[in-house]
Every structure is written in structure tokens, then in C-alpha cells.
Amino acid sequence: VMKATEVKSMPVEELNAKLDSLKEELFALRFQLAANQLENTARIQAVKKDIARVKTAIRSAELSAQQ
């Protein structure tokens, strides 16, 4: 689980890379859930929240760049 302060300090390129890796992880977790192989179901929610944090940071950077 990433903290919001960690995410805000990352450069945009790194945030985009992190977003891709988190989406891949979420896909894998959903696949495991469907196959009844997932042990920690709370991990799905944590990854979704991390994705939201990263997207928020990316959007915030875009808005600040426009000004």
C-alpha cells in the first residue's frame, strides 16, 4: 500500500509506469479470485485504492502544468 505523500513526490513518468504495473496486478488478482486461488481478498481493494491515488496525482500534475 502506497502513501499519498509517496505518490505526490513521484515524477509523472514514474507514476504512469506505476499505474501500468498496478493495473496488471489488479488483473492478476481478479484472475486468481475467479479461479478461487486468491488468499488475501483485501489486496484487491488495496490495489484499487493505489490506482486511484496514482491517477489523482497524475491529474493534479496535469492541472498544475496548465496554469
Side-chain angles (χ1 to χ4, degrees):
V1 178
M2 300 172 61
K3 293 191 176 181
T5 52
E6 293 174 23
V7 175
K8 288 178 185 175
S9 64
M10 290 178 160
V12 177
E13 299 82 22
E14 196 175 326
L15 286 171
N16 284 323
K18 188 71 176 169
L19 183 61
D20 288 341
S21 69
L22 286 170
K23 283 184 177 181
E24 287 174 12
E25 183 180 354
L26 182 60
F27 177 79
L29 289 171
R30 282 190 179 137
F31 205 89
Q32 289 176 7
L33 183 66
N36 287 326
Q37 294 177 339
L38 187 60
E39 306 245 335
N40 184 7
T41 54
R43 183 71 185 131
I44 291 178
Q45 199 64 30
V47 171
K48 284 183 179 180
K49 287 185 179 185
D50 282 346
I51 289 173
R53 282 189 193 100
V54 170
K55 282 186 171 184
T56 301
I58 291 171
R59 183 68 180 138
S60 173
E62 285 175 3
L63 290 175
S64 66
Q66 285 179 354
Q67 292 179 352

